[in-house]
Amino acid sequence: MTTNPVVKSAKRGPYAKSKQRKESIVKAAHEVFAAHGYRGGSLQDVADKVGMSQTSLLHYFPAKSDLLLAVLDWRDRISGSGSGQGSVSVPGSGSTEGLGEAREPEEALVDAVIRQASFNETIPGVIELYTVLCAESLTENHPGLRYFTERYERLRGGYARKFSVLAGQGRLRDGVDPARAAANLIALWDGIQTQWLMAPESIDMAACLRDYLQLVVVPEG
């Protein structure tokens, strides 16, 4: 029994078109939310960017909060790929992405952090989106609060484990607590991103992060 390729193509066609349309909506919403925030950016703004009516947009995303979560998921995927990190062991944040596996704990931590910070700078709007939405998520009844709260919890745990491995090898400087070092790294990264957005020509994010890590991590050898 043979299958008619024309029938198979016809079945795939509408799905592929729908998927492409959803991706175009998410990309447009990424631009709108990065520029105006979730509350300031309207569904009509997004619809206008993709050349469709708001009613048609709601066919793909029934609620504005659904679109927000789709944007955050898409941001995770584009910032977590193409950075040369290999497999991801710690979920990312707008600032702090997953750490790729490496041969040495210091390399897995230090080099992966620097690589990700540099990579994020090359993706239009990804740092703006994260910074704006993370701050805005603290406002009343914001649909992104759980997303960012859980992200920070995962990040603190993931980085603390990396620092703990280094501590067990005598590679953390005296008095450095792995859990606090993890929280400090995330705080520095988020803060330096905000400064970079205000004055990109004056702020070297990768260098600032490397300076911090050199203060807490003892180089091998």
Side-chain angles (χ1 to χ4, degrees), residues 18 39 60 69 96 100 105 113 116 128 140 163 166 183 188 199 206 211:
S18 176
R39 301 208 189 276
Y60 296 95
L69 295 178
T96 38
V113 165
Q116 189 67 52
E128 290 89 337
E140 186 176 6
F163 281 121
L166 290 168
L188 171 63
D211 288 346

Side-chain angles (χ1 to χ4, degrees), residues 19 66 99 149 153 157:
K19 183 180 179 181
D66 295 330
L99 297 178
T149 300
E153 290 175 354

Side-chain angles (χ1 to χ4, degrees), residues 181-210:
N184 289 338
L185 172 59
I186 296 167
L188 171 63
W189 201 333
D190 284 3
I192 207 66
Q193 281 190 155
T194 300
Q195 294 182 58
W196 178 81
L197 288 170
M198 296 175 176
E201 70 288 346
S202 303
I203 300 297
D204 187 334
M205 288 196 293
C208 290
L209 291 166
R210 186 180 294 279

Side-chain angles (χ1 to χ4, degrees), residues 95-143:
S95 57
T96 38
E97 299 303 328
L99 297 178
E101 295 301 324
R103 290 173 297 177
E104 300 293 340
E106 181 188 6
E107 181 184 4
L109 180 63
V110 179
D111 289 353
V113 165
I114 302 307
R115 185 165 58 244
Q116 189 67 52
S118 299
F119 180 65
N120 286 352
E121 291 184 37
T122 69
I123 311 175
V126 73
I127 296 176
E128 290 89 337
L129 179 82
Y130 169 78
T131 303
V132 169
L133 293 184
C134 183
E136 190 185 49
S137 72
L138 297 173
T139 59
E140 186 176 6
N141 297 322
H142 195 284

Side-chain angles (χ1 to χ4, degrees), residues 3-209:
T3 302
N4 187 336
V6 175
V7 174
K8 290 180 68 177
S9 177
K11 289 182 179 179
R12 286 197 301 266
Y15 171 78
K17 184 176 181 181
S18 176
K19 183 180 179 181
Q20 291 176 351
R21 176 62 78 172
K22 289 184 72 173
E23 289 179 352
S24 68
I25 293 171
V26 170
K27 290 178 182 179
H30 182 284
E31 294 180 24
V32 169
F33 293 159
H36 305 289
Y38 172 75
R39 301 208 189 276
S42 69
L43 289 177
Q44 189 61 57
D45 292 334
V46 178
D48 290 343
K49 275 188 171 293
V50 291
M52 66 192 308
S53 69
Q54 185 172 329
T55 300
S56 296
L57 186 152
L58 290 171
H59 170 73
Y60 296 95
F61 297 97
K64 188 180 180 183
S65 58
D66 295 330
L67 182 55
L68 172 67
L69 295 178
V71 167
L72 290 171
D73 178 68
W74 184 72
R75 192 224 63 83
D76 285 347
R77 288 187 284 115
I78 63 172
S79 63
S81 62
S83 60
Q85 287 180 283
S87 60
V88 175
S89 58
V90 181
S93 76
S95 57
T96 38
E97 299 303 328
L99 297 178
E101 295 301 324
R103 290 173 297 177
E104 300 293 340
E106 181 188 6
E107 181 184 4
L109 180 63
V110 179
D111 289 353
V113 165
I114 302 307
R115 185 165 58 244
Q116 189 67 52
S118 299
F119 180 65
N120 286 352
E121 291 184 37
T122 69
I123 311 175
V126 73
I127 296 176
E128 290 89 337
L129 179 82
Y130 169 78
T131 303
V132 169
L133 293 184
C134 183
E136 190 185 49
S137 72
L138 297 173
T139 59
E140 186 176 6
N141 297 322
H142 195 284
L145 179 60
R146 179 177 178 181
Y147 172 90
F148 284 103
T149 300
E150 292 178 351
R151 174 182 293 277
Y152 277 125
E153 290 175 354
R154 292 194 304 268
L155 285 166
R156 287 193 298 271
Y159 286 123
R161 287 191 294 273
K162 293 289 185 179
F163 281 121
S164 292
V165 171
L166 290 168
Q169 298 179 343
R171 301 279 302 284
L172 277 193
R173 299 193 187 276
D174 292 342
V176 174
D177 176 80
R180 291 199 298 271
N184 289 338
L185 172 59
I186 296 167
L188 171 63
W189 201 333
D190 284 3
I192 207 66
Q193 281 190 155
T194 300
Q195 294 182 58
W196 178 81
L197 288 170
M198 296 175 176
E201 70 288 346
S202 303
I203 300 297
D204 187 334
M205 288 196 293
C208 290
L209 291 166

